[in-house]
Amino acid sequence: MNKGKLFVFTGPSGTGKGTILSEVLAAEPRLRVSVSATTRTPREGEIHGIHYWFMNHSTFEEKIAQNAFLEHACYVGNYYGTPEEPVNEQLDAGYDVILEIEVQGAMQIHDKRPDAVMIFVAPPSMEELEHRLYGRGTENSEKVAERLEQAKKELTYQKQFDYIIVNDTLSDAVFDLRSIIHAEHCRVEP
Ligand code: 5GP
């Protein structure tokens, strides 16, 4: 079986990356999502090993020292990272793997794995992003403000990606992501 392809799926918090991805995962049997590690506190309903590997700061730092992460970043006060071994195992087994991560981590993958397909999800506008982040109700207003500040910085990186999806209508964004994945499999390899 051929090796799978690595996709990086990035965009500011609140752009709907998770929602788009869950629909695409349900429709694409060859696609797997990488489960990240984080030091952030679990939200209601989040399950260890499914949504994230939740861990404390010292465990996370031990894993950094052991080179266990393909990339890692500090995002609004917490660590987030992609465990490397499961990603390689899935790719070797022929599955495509998608990483839903923020921009600093995406740029690390860009340097380390030049074959990774880089996809950026942008909100239709900053006003809409603000509306979605407050509407989601998962963070207090101070944290939402930090995420919005971070979003402004993240949006300046869009041009460095292979593809940009504007998440205006969910069904269009899902179609776009599926189209990118399929197109990448039709690409003529050098
Ligand atoms: P949240 O706290 O909302 O789950 O995630 C905050 C941000 O961290 C989101 O933009 C999410 O995509 C990103 N993120 C999740 N996992 C990882 C990871 O493993 N590495 C990096 N660099 N960012 C991640």
Side-chain angles (χ1 to χ4, degrees):
M1 196 192 241
N2 288 337
K3 262 186 91 161
K5 286 184 184 288
L6 183 60
F7 294 90
V8 175
F9 196 50
T10 300
S13 173
T15 34
K17 298 189 296 278
T19 313
I20 300 168
L21 197 50
S22 60
E23 292 214 5
V24 172
L25 283 165
E28 297 291 341
R30 198 180 161 176
L31 184 66
R32 297 283 183 272
V33 67
S34 155
V35 179
S36 296
T38 185
T39 57
R40 146 162 105 52
T41 314
R43 294 182 186 132
E44 206 180 309
E46 283 185 330
I47 300 166
H48 182 70
I50 295 198
H51 299 97
Y52 279 108
W53 300 106
F54 294 101
M55 55 186 69
N56 60 32
H57 270 73
S58 60
T59 307
F60 198 104
E61 282 170 354
E62 271 168 36
K63 291 193 181 289
I64 297 175
Q66 293 160 1
N67 263 328
F69 294 121
L70 185 54
E71 61 71 39
H72 69 275
C74 196
Y75 174 87
V76 295
N78 280 299
Y79 279 129
Y80 293 80
T82 303
E84 182 157 16
E85 209 175 286
V87 172
N88 291 338
E89 282 170 3
Q90 302 269 28
L91 291 173
D92 289 343
Y95 292 106
D96 291 335
V97 178
I98 192 158
L99 313 180
E100 190 213 313
I101 62 179
E102 53 68 71
V103 170
Q104 303 164 70
M107 294 296 88
Q108 292 170 39
I109 304 280
H110 189 48
D111 295 339
K112 254 176 129 168
R113 302 272 180 116
D115 56 325
V117 181
M118 306 289 296
I119 307 164
F120 191 95
V121 190
S125 64
M126 276 309 282
E127 290 71 30
E128 178 60 24
L129 185 66
E130 189 170 344
H131 177 71
R132 288 184 193 170
L133 273 174
Y134 279 110
R136 189 163 89 168
T138 48
E139 275 80 27
N140 61 31
S141 53
E142 192 187 324
K143 287 278 174 205
V144 169
E146 283 180 52
R147 282 176 184 242
L148 284 169
E149 265 319 296
Q150 195 66 27
K152 284 185 200 147
K153 290 184 204 150
E154 292 187 317
L155 287 167
T156 65
Y157 285 85
Q158 293 182 60
K159 295 270 161 60
Q160 298 189 43
F161 283 70
D162 299 316
Y163 297 95
I164 299 175
I165 297 175
V166 178
N167 186 16
D168 202 347
T169 309
L170 177 63
S171 57
D172 288 348
V174 168
F175 181 75
D176 288 347
L177 179 56
R178 292 189 67 191
S179 303
I180 292 166
I181 293 169
H182 285 267
E184 284 297 324
H185 279 285
C186 298
R187 189 184 274 284
V188 177
E189 299 294 346

